Amino acid sequence: MAQSRCSQSSEGSGLLRALEQVWEGPDSEIFARDWSVAERQAHVCSDRLTTFADLLRRQADEQEGASEGEGLIPRSNPVDRAGAQDGEGGGGPKQKPDPKGMDDTPPEERIDGPLFTGEEGEPQIQPTDVQQGSLADCWFITSMQTVAASNPDLIEKNVTDNGDGTYTVTLYEDGEPVEYVVTPDFPATNGDPEFADNPGERELWPLLYEKAMAQHMGGSWEDMEYDTAERGIEAITGQEADTEGTGSGFLGLNPPPSSDEIRDILDNDGQVALSSHDDAGDRPAYQGEDGIVTDHIYWVSEVKDDGTLVLVNPHDPSEPAHEMSYDEYRENFTHITTSRP
């Protein structure tokens, strides 16, 4: 990553806090509002630029290989964000070629298993059904887990067995549903999937969702690396998501939601995700084997009566949760993403 994902926004916020002490009046308030919008946009754009830089690097390597006599490398048709190839009409499910692999990605294998499992009397969909693999898509794994915790019926409704060896997964683009028909074939080694999987009994729904999202993002597994929880939650739910910095906001504008507001979002089946710092610095919460991971996205499963936040690491949702006070969370995370039904 050429530059720390949040370095410019952190530096800008620091400068604004200094200006806040000496700058008063309507111009400062207008500037503060503009900065709040620009800072959130810069955060998202930085992640997307990283993804495109990786794509350009890969394409340059392919062209170099072709010029050395390896022959032209076939490319799939361009795919737009809604999943339709050039020349395709809309209105129906999209059945796309399997996502392109990356360097060292193992070949695909057919993975068998039920779409869902669950104990009697409990939801079939659980956040502990999902475990992150070797793909750097914590943003999407987090999104699947937090939606599974808050609205399992939505996931159960939006991934269906077609009865012919294929499955239809419904995602959303700008709030509009987009359907993808996918097969249960995934990069794997001896039946062990390389990317999203289950920490316990095999269930196919997380694997199918991740594969459909790779198609939605552009048609390559690499397209899934480094993005935001905002994008993931919106793609799964069709709801708008908002991202705020965890600072107080310049002149007090656009502060992050309070612990009571976070609790209210969770109590009303919403989602809350947190982005960690790129650099641990001297923050104690990042120290030790069980510390907060840098440049990672967590989700909030609960706010206790005393305001303590309970945070889940998407890499393994079955591991002990992190608990920290509201002030500790603001010290240890850079951004908070929230979505309400």
Side-chain angles (χ1 to χ4, degrees):
M1 192 175 298
Q3 185 177 7
S4 169
R5 174 163 57 92
C6 301
S7 60
Q8 287 186 338
S9 62
S10 297
E11 181 181 2
S13 296
L15 292 172
L16 284 174
R17 282 193 293 271
L19 283 173
E20 184 176 5
Q21 305 302 316
V22 296
W23 190 11
E24 297 180 355
D27 288 346
S28 64
E29 295 179 4
I30 293 171
F31 188 88
R33 293 190 183 95
D34 290 344
W35 164 254
S36 178
V37 173
E39 193 270 346
R40 293 197 301 270
Q41 292 174 340
H43 178 71
V44 174
C45 289
S46 176
D47 286 329
R48 296 302 296 152
L49 284 171
T50 298
T51 301
F52 284 121
D54 290 340
L55 175 62
L56 286 171
R57 189 177 301 108
R58 184 173 76 249
Q59 291 177 335
D61 291 342
E62 291 176 353
Q63 291 297 328
E64 182 178 358
S67 66
E68 293 175 355
E70 297 178 5
L72 293 176
I73 298 173
R75 301 187 182 277
S76 60
N77 291 331
V79 182
D80 66 19
R81 286 176 57 198
Q85 289 184 343
D86 288 349
E88 283 190 359
K94 314 295 182 183
Q95 186 157 10
K96 317 303 299 176
D98 286 343
K100 293 189 295 182
M102 304 183 294
D103 292 343
D104 301 324
T105 299
E108 289 189 347
E109 297 180 21
R110 177 61 58 101
I111 303 297
D112 296 320
L115 187 54
F116 313 112
T117 65
E119 299 292 335
E120 184 176 354
E122 296 182 356
Q124 292 193 93
I125 307 296
Q126 301 278 352
T128 49
D129 296 341
V130 190
Q131 186 173 35
Q132 186 178 358
S134 64
L135 202 61
D137 64 344
C138 62
W139 62 277
F140 191 67
I141 301 297
T142 290
S143 300
M144 283 196 287
Q145 289 176 1
T146 187
V147 176
S150 59
N151 193 354
D153 292 343
L154 176 68
I155 290 178
E156 186 173 351
K157 180 186 74 173
N158 281 349
V159 55
T160 58
D161 188 341
N162 297 324
D164 60 0
T166 68
Y167 299 83
T168 297
V169 178
T170 301
L171 297 170
Y172 296 87
E173 180 72 17
D174 296 327
E176 297 298 323
V178 184
E179 295 180 337
Y180 294 89
V181 177
V182 295
T183 64
D185 300 289
F186 309 94
T189 303
N190 298 324
D192 185 17
E194 181 77 4
F195 303 139
D197 199 8
N198 315 107
E201 184 179 355
R202 173 64 43 72
E203 298 182 51
L204 291 179
W205 74 263
L207 289 70
L208 297 166
Y209 250 98
E210 186 183 50
K211 184 174 182 178
M213 191 65 186
Q215 303 291 14
H216 191 70
M217 293 289 287
S220 168
W221 286 111
E222 194 162 7
D223 294 328
M224 291 291 290
E225 297 205 305
Y226 307 111
D227 217 293
T228 64
E230 185 172 324
R231 180 184 293 272
I233 291 171
E234 289 182 346
I236 294 174
T237 66
Q239 304 162 189
E240 289 187 4
D242 296 311
T243 299
E244 303 284 354
T246 58
S248 62
F250 182 48
L251 298 176
L253 298 173
N254 296 312
S258 67
S259 58
D260 287 340
E261 289 171 326
I262 295 173
R263 184 187 296 110
D264 182 66
I265 291 170
L266 297 176
D267 287 347
N268 287 281
D269 300 328
Q271 298 84 38
V272 180
L274 306 176
S275 300
S276 66
H277 288 270
D278 288 351
D279 184 354
D282 59 356
R283 300 176 183 88
Y286 286 78
Q287 309 305 317
E289 292 183 0
D290 60 348
I292 298 295
V293 179
T294 58
D295 198 18
H296 197 43
I297 300 177
Y298 291 71
W299 59 279
V300 181
S301 63
E302 178 187 0
V303 178
K304 296 185 176 182
D305 291 341
D306 64 357
T308 298
L309 276 65
V310 181
L311 316 181
V312 179
N313 184 348
H315 197 270
D316 186 354
S318 64
E319 73 177 14
H322 294 273
E323 295 188 7
M324 56 182 60
S325 70
Y326 182 76
D327 289 339
E328 289 172 333
Y329 124 73
R330 291 179 63 181
E331 168 65 20
N332 287 286
F333 290 88
T334 65
H335 288 78
I336 179 170
T337 297
T338 59
S339 181
R340 300 174 182 265

